[in-house]
Structures are given as structure tokens and as C-alpha cells.
């Protein structure tokens, strides 16, 4: 079974908002650094935002100030609040979970975000 399941993608107009959710299962969620990545058509996958187990966050410059990553350890869920969406935000967004010791990486299957102009 897939341990990470994204939801919340869809079609929105430029300037609108979406909130993506990633629900984790079969893992000790609280010890993982969680992240969101995206892959636009014809482009390579890129990091969007990460949040550590201590709630330290990091954002790609392209989304800083518009996107907010957060986590709810009680619900084993990480969120990506996306505001002021732009057409170039259009991509498949993937949830990622990583831990260092022992080393582990998990990926969700992705959720499509389409931003119309």
C-alpha cells in the first residue's frame, strides 16, 4: 500500500487558492521531514517546500510568501496552503517524507494542480 496520499488538487483561476493535504500511514510520522515537490509538464521535479520534525520550514523562492507548509502530527498530515496561484504553478504536486536514521524516503502518487489564466 502507498503510505502517502495527496488530495486537494484541482482547477483554479489565477489568483485563487488551494490547500493540498498529504495523509501518511504505516510510519512514525512525527520523525520525518515532510515536503512538497512539483513537476510541471515537460520539466523536472522541483522542491516546493519542506517542514522538519521541529517545524522548521523552507520554501522555493518561486513560492515564498504565497505558499505555506504546515503539519499536524496528531493527524499524520502535512498541508500546503497555496495562495495567489499563478499559471506557472500548474504541476503535479507530490508529497515526500524523509528521515535520516534509519534512512528512508517515501513518495505519494501526486495530485494535479491546474491554474488557469
Amino acid at each position: 500500500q502507498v503510505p502517502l496520499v495527496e488530495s486537494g488538487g484541482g482547477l483554479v483561476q489565477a489568483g485563487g487558492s488551494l490547500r493540498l493535504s498529504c495523509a501518511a500511514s504505516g510510519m512514525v510520522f512525527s520523525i520525518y521531514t515532510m515536503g512538497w515537490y512539483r513537476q510541471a509538464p515537460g520539466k523536472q521535479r522541483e522542491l516546493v517546500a519542506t517542514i522538519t520534525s521541529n517545524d522548521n520550514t523552507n520554501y522555493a523562492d518561486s513560492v515564498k510568501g504565497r505558499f505555506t507548509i504546515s503539519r499536524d502530527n496528531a493527524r499524520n498530515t502535512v498541508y500546503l496552503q497555496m495562495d495567489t496561484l499563478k499559471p506557472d504553478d500548474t504541476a503535479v504536486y507530490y508529497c515526500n517524507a524523509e528521515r535520516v536514521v534509519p534512512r528512508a524516503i517515501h513518495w505519494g502518487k501526486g495530485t494535479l494542480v491546474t491554474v488557469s489564466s
Side-chain angles (χ1 to χ4, degrees):
Q1 62 179 348
V2 179
L4 304 176
V5 180
E6 304 96 334
S7 62
L11 174 64
V12 297
Q13 293 184 340
S17 298
L18 283 175
R19 189 181 75 161
L20 305 183
S21 298
C22 173
S25 62
M27 57 190 284
V28 183
F29 179 82
S30 61
I31 70 172
Y32 283 80
T33 291
M34 303 299 300
W36 288 95
Y37 294 71
R38 68 186 182 186
Q39 187 167 20
K43 295 181 172 58
Q44 295 186 4
R45 189 173 300 186
E46 64 177 353
L47 183 146
V48 176
T50 60
I51 182 167
T52 70
S53 60
N54 294 320
D55 289 326
N56 292 317
T57 59
N58 182 57
Y59 298 91
D61 288 341
S62 60
V63 307
K64 191 173 298 183
R66 299 188 298 119
F67 291 9
T68 303
I69 188 171
S70 62
R71 66 192 298 160
D72 186 341
N73 289 340
R75 292 177 167 80
N76 282 18
T77 303
V78 63
Y79 304 95
L80 185 68
Q81 178 66 44
M82 305 185 294
D83 298 320
T84 319
L85 283 161
K86 304 175 181 179
D88 57 5
D89 293 319
T90 295
V92 176
Y93 284 72
Y94 297 91
C95 181
N96 168 267
E98 297 188 16
R99 70 181 181 188
V100 177
V101 181
R103 182 63 170 164
I105 302 175
H106 304 281
W107 291 95
K109 292 184 177 181
T111 184
L112 177 63
V113 172
T114 303
V115 184
S116 62
S117 59

